[in-house]
Amino acid sequence: GENVEQHPSTLSVQEGDSAVIKCTYSDSASNYFPWYKQELGKRPQLIIDIRSNVGEKKDQRIAVTLNKTAKHFSLHITETQPEDSAVYFCAASHSGNTPLVFGKGTRLSVIA
Amino acid sequence: NAGVTQTPKFRILKIGQSMTLQCAQDMNHNYMYWYRQDPGMGLKLIYYSVGAGITDKGEVPNGYNVSRSTTEDFPLRLELAAPSQTSVYFCASVAGGGHYEQYFGPGTRLTVT
């Protein structure tokens, strides 16, 4: 089955700097790669996703890149703000309808 | 739309007790999922359903059961609760048909002592 590895487990950045979180996956049939943000005590919230027919997707300060050959994808947050502090999870699935396999999460702290 | 709702929000169970976690969605989504999230960890799939009457096991199904008699509801049953089932449980749904976003419920925090 699919296995998703996520690094780093914790990340501290200064406000205004960029943050990068990386994930690798094992199943070459995976085609859908979402990123979730989870604040303490809250449900995961989708922040961006990418499908395998696209190499990069951007939404304001957030971007995701996908390298299907190497089986890895990354989340990039630019101009970080204190409200970006949260736990971020990557995930993978064969399609949007099949269950997601999650990474273990990255705790991002943005220091003002 | 209320989206995905879960009840209860919190529950404390004694070892050996049973309970049902309720999940409902009003978006007419075909696909529904149950995940558990242990402290400091990612989400692990317990069971899922691709439509009314159809369910399948996920990565960690032992100690749980599900049913899907309607499109809207997907209850999760815990029999003979054990301390290892202490976790936060999230229900989620997906529309299907090219729509991929999973909508999560607010979660149920369960403690078994």
Side-chain angles (χ1 to χ4, degrees):
Chain A
E2 175 66 278
N3 182 51
V4 177
E5 300 281 345
Q6 183 172 348
H7 299 281
S9 57
T10 61
L11 179 61
S12 291
V13 299
Q14 294 289 330
E15 183 179 359
D17 288 350
S18 295
V20 180
I21 303 170
K22 298 182 179 182
C23 287
T24 60
Y25 61 99
S26 60
D27 188 347
S28 57
S30 288
N31 282 314
Y32 176 61
F33 307 94
W35 285 89
Y36 286 86
K37 176 183 181 181
Q38 188 178 32
E39 296 174 341
L40 190 63
K42 300 288 183 63
R43 75 191 83 185
Q45 297 273 9
L46 179 71
I47 55 171
I48 196 166
D49 58 7
I50 192 167
R51 304 189 190 187
S52 62
N53 57 346
V54 175
E56 183 174 358
K57 185 177 178 181
K58 190 173 181 181
D59 183 3
Q60 298 184 336
R61 296 186 297 109
I62 294 173
V64 56
T65 58
L66 171 65
N67 183 328
K68 284 219 74 179
T69 303
K71 296 208 280 285
H72 66 71
F73 56 113
S74 300
L75 177 71
H76 304 255
I77 306 174
T78 59
E79 300 172 18
T80 53
Q81 301 167 1
E83 51 265 38
D84 294 329
S85 296
V87 179
Y88 291 81
F89 293 97
C90 63
S93 71
H94 287 183
S95 73
N97 305 331
T98 55
L100 292 170
V101 177
F102 285 84
K104 291 185 177 179
T106 295
R107 182 173 300 279
L108 174 65
S109 299
V110 180
I111 303 163
Chain B
N1 286 351
V4 180
T5 57
Q6 291 183 240
T7 56
K9 286 186 169 54
F10 305 94
R11 183 73 185 268
I12 298 174
L13 279 183
K14 294 190 184 305
I15 294 171
Q17 288 184 321
S18 299
M19 75 165 294
T20 299
L21 281 67
Q22 301 292 346
C23 174
Q25 51 88 13
D26 61 357
M27 299 174 282
N28 201 34
H29 286 178
N30 288 319
Y31 302 85
M32 296 187 74
Y33 311 90
W34 274 107
Y35 297 94
R36 60 176 286 174
Q37 184 177 31
D38 297 334
M41 300 293 287
L43 284 77
K44 292 187 177 180
L45 182 69
I46 306 171
Y47 269 96
Y48 66 103
S49 169
V50 301
I54 306 169
T55 62
D56 208 347
K57 295 178 180 179
E59 181 185 355
V60 289
N62 291 346
Y64 307 94
N65 270 303
V66 293
S67 60
R68 184 97 181 270
S69 57
T70 66
T71 299
E72 294 78 20
D73 300 298
F74 190 39
L76 177 72
R77 178 81 178 162
L78 276 74
E79 304 282 2
L80 300 175
S84 60
Q85 293 178 304
T86 294
S87 192
V88 179
Y89 292 83
F90 288 101
C91 179
S93 71
V94 172
H99 298 280
Y100 285 14
E101 181 175 353
Q102 282 203 15
Y103 292 80
F104 282 85
T108 294
R109 185 175 296 275
L110 175 68
T111 302
V112 182
T113 62

